[in-house]
């Protein structure tokens, strides 16, 4: 049984500008907390089937392959290790999606929202579900939130995010 966790943050830029940033798959280290390196592993640099290896401080190296590419709006990546699942998952996907700002006062402004979502399943059957409820869901939910607010900060400033500011940046979540 899969678990889904999601978060969102406001970005004071039009969706088109944000999409141009997101489609560059090498930029993840500028905003994803814990990532130390990103290497594109396919000839294709963007779009469906493009793949990269990311190095994460907590989870080590893992592959990320684009399994859905919604031009101008978002993408979904599968987290894996070679042909198998990325540890600690049985399966996992991460979704980035831009939406128009929900704020009525933003209707005529260049503003959008980034929505991040992770759907995953831990191995181990009933034990895996217990670990998810007690422990993993909080950690992974925090990672999804941190990715949303750090992406918003990075796109707004154009600079890599100082992750020591996470507590402050979390206040920008929707």
């Amino acid at each position: 049984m899969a678990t889904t966790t999601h978060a969102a943050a406001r970005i004071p830029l039009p969706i088109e500008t944000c999409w141009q940033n997101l489609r560059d798959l090498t930029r993840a280290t500028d905003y994803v907390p814990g990532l130390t390196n990103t290497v594109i592993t396919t000839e294709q640099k963007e779009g469906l089937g493009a793949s990269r290896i990311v190095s994460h401080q907590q989870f080590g190296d893992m592959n990320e392959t684009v399994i859905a590419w919604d031009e101008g709006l978002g993408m979904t990546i599968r987290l894996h290790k070679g042909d198998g699942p990325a540890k600690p998952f049985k399966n996992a996907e991460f979704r980035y999606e831009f939406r128009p700002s929900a704020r009525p006062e933003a209707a005529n402004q260049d503003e959008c929202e980034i929505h991040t979502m992770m759907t995953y399943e831990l191995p181990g059957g009933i034990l895996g579900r217990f670990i998810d409820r007690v422990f993993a869901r909080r950690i992974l939910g925090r990672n999804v939130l941190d990715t949303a607010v750090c992406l918003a900060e990075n796109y707004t400033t154009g600079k890599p995010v100082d992750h020591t500011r996470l507590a402050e940046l979390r206040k920008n979540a929707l």
Side-chain angles (χ1 to χ4, degrees):
M1 181 182 198
T3 299
T4 299
T5 183
H6 54 84
R10 188 173 296 112
I11 307 173
L13 296 168
I15 289 175
E16 298 79 20
T17 301
C18 293
W19 174 249
Q20 291 307 313
N21 288 325
L22 185 66
R23 69 186 306 132
D24 180 353
L25 299 177
T26 64
R27 291 192 57 189
T29 53
D30 289 344
Y31 57 84
V32 177
L35 282 193
T36 59
N37 195 28
T38 302
V39 177
I40 303 297
T41 59
T42 53
E43 191 173 309
Q44 188 174 335
K45 304 295 182 210
E46 62 180 43
L48 196 60
S51 192
R52 63 189 177 192
I53 293 177
V54 297
S55 300
H56 193 279
Q57 291 171 335
Q58 196 173 9
F59 300 112
D61 290 350
M62 73 174 82
N63 300 83
E64 296 185 340
T65 301
V66 178
I67 59 171
W69 184 269
D70 303 310
E71 185 66 35
L73 297 176
M75 68 175 165
T76 303
I77 54 176
R78 179 173 71 97
L79 310 178
H80 58 104
K81 182 84 170 180
D83 292 334
K87 292 184 179 183
F89 306 108
K90 182 176 178 181
N91 57 63
E93 297 176 358
F94 200 97
R95 172 89 181 149
Y96 296 90
E97 184 176 309
F98 296 108
R99 298 180 189 171
S101 178
R103 294 182 331 136
E105 63 272 20
N108 296 321
Q109 297 178 10
D110 288 334
E111 179 177 286
C112 68
E113 297 170 359
I114 178 63
H115 289 255
T116 53
M117 177 173 50
M118 185 172 191
T119 302
Y120 64 92
E121 186 174 358
L122 297 178
I126 207 162
L127 178 60
R129 289 190 297 275
F130 175 76
I131 291 169
D132 182 41
R133 275 194 308 273
V134 172
F135 179 68
R137 192 174 302 182
R138 279 194 308 264
I139 292 170
L140 295 169
R142 178 62 60 96
N143 183 266
V144 170
L145 169 66
D146 290 349
T147 299
V149 298
C150 288
L151 181 146
E153 176 73 5
N154 173 251
Y155 287 11
T156 301
T157 66
K159 298 176 184 172
V161 176
D162 174 2
H163 295 118
T164 63
R165 297 181 49 228
L166 278 172
E168 172 193 344
L169 295 175
R170 288 178 187 131
K171 296 175 186 174
N172 297 326
L174 299 178

